[in-house]
Amino acid sequence: MKGKFISLEGGEGSGKSTAILCIQAWLESHNVPFIMTREPGGTPLAEEIRQLVLNPRDEKVNDTAELLLMFAARAQHLSEKIQPALEAGAWVICDRFLDSSYVYQGKARGGDTQQLDLLSEWVVGDHRPDATLLLDVPVEVGQQRIVQRQYQDRLDKESLVFHQKVREGFLERAHSEPNRVTIIDASVSIEAVKSQIENQLEHLFQAWCGGK
Ligand code: TMP
């Protein structure tokens, strides 16, 4: 049987790293074969593109260049890692995927949605996530968490207004596709976040595998 594809989304400082550890532990305890991966990145070439597009630099990065680099990395990642893993029956847990492009390059940068639709159709086609967990926190909370980090990438350093649009963009996508996207309230305690994630995984596991 083909594997299942779950993406994890959220703004800066929404606690994706903790969520990933929780998902990993849950899948292991249920003997589900899986791989963990991330975007932009996930293969050697795509990780090189990640450095190119996310490292802070003096030169202004053109919005179209940023968008195309995200999709170039995605094309490589999908064909060389995600699709083979799904074909082999593994679940793929991906830290960010297509929603991030719609939200960061579309909503926050003001990119054209029709162009995003065209690129998505071309690069991703039907290989969309079966389910998405959206970690939602107020922007101020996320910002407080990231200022404590030693390394901040080019997008972490964007304005508060940019990050507000990111949060709004994710919530809009969640509301427009409620069957795929589950909002996780990530402003509560770690234990409470974990239990929301575990409940949703349990629900998906029952729906997809009948609990087996
Ligand atoms: P993160 O994995 O540490 O969250 O960093 C990835 C950054 O890349 C984050 O700021 C969101 C950004 N990003 C986009 O702007 N567009 C995309 O399509 C993806 C996958 C990520």
Side-chain angles (χ1 to χ4, degrees):
M1 196 174 90
K2 230 181 136 213
K4 293 292 178 186
F5 183 10
I6 300 179
S7 61
L8 188 63
E9 299 278 7
E12 260 53 61
S14 58
K16 284 191 290 104
S17 312
T18 311
I20 283 168
L21 292 176
C22 166
I23 296 171
Q24 190 165 352
W26 191 93
L27 292 170
E28 278 166 2
S29 71
H30 288 72
N31 294 319
V32 176
F34 69 94
I35 62 158
M36 290 284 189
T37 188
R38 69 170 179 181
E39 288 215 340
T43 80
L45 172 61
E47 287 290 332
E48 283 189 41
I49 298 173
R50 180 186 178 95
Q51 301 301 321
L52 284 177
V53 72
L54 291 184
N55 278 353
R57 58 183 68 242
D58 294 334
E59 181 183 357
K60 181 187 177 321
V61 178
N62 170 273
D63 290 351
T64 306
E66 180 179 280
L67 172 68
L68 293 175
L69 284 168
M70 295 295 178
F71 274 90
R74 181 163 299 133
Q76 182 70 12
H77 187 210
L78 255 179
S79 75
E80 299 310 306
K81 190 162 181 184
I82 296 179
Q83 284 177 248
L86 292 171
E87 291 301 332
W91 286 26
V92 173
I93 313 301
C94 193
D95 178 355
R96 298 194 182 281
F97 194 67
L98 189 56
D99 292 304
S100 279
S101 299
Y102 275 92
V103 167
Y104 284 82
Q105 282 68 51
K107 175 90 179 177
R109 291 262 189 250
D112 183 306
T113 308
Q114 275 183 333
Q115 282 179 343
L116 272 155
D117 288 344
L118 281 173
L119 265 175
S120 303
E121 198 45 49
W122 181 26
V123 173
V124 179
D126 293 336
H127 306 291
R128 316 252 166 165
D130 297 297
T132 298
L133 303 181
L134 168 62
L135 294 166
D136 179 57
V137 281
V139 172
E140 299 72 24
V141 176
Q143 292 292 304
Q144 276 163 14
R145 292 178 181 164
I146 63 166
V147 286
Q148 292 161 10
R149 290 187 193 153
Q150 287 212 317
Y151 172 80
Q152 291 185 18
D153 69 34
R154 208 168 49 75
L155 292 167
D156 291 334
K157 292 170 183 280
E158 284 288 347
S159 67
L160 208 59
V161 173
F162 180 92
H163 292 294
Q164 294 282 12
K165 287 187 191 159
V166 166
R167 184 181 186 207
E168 276 167 36
F170 276 130
L171 289 173
E172 282 168 14
R173 286 188 71 76
H175 292 132
S176 70
E177 284 187 72
N179 290 337
R180 173 178 65 89
V181 186
T182 303
I183 301 172
I184 306 289
D185 177 0
S187 64
V188 294
S189 69
I190 290 182
E191 282 314 312
V193 174
K194 278 187 184 168
S195 95
Q196 293 173 72
I197 293 173
E198 286 167 0
N199 286 345
Q200 182 56 14
L201 289 173
E202 203 69 62
H203 169 75
L204 294 171
F205 190 54
Q206 288 294 337
W208 292 337
C209 309
K212 284 177 214 127

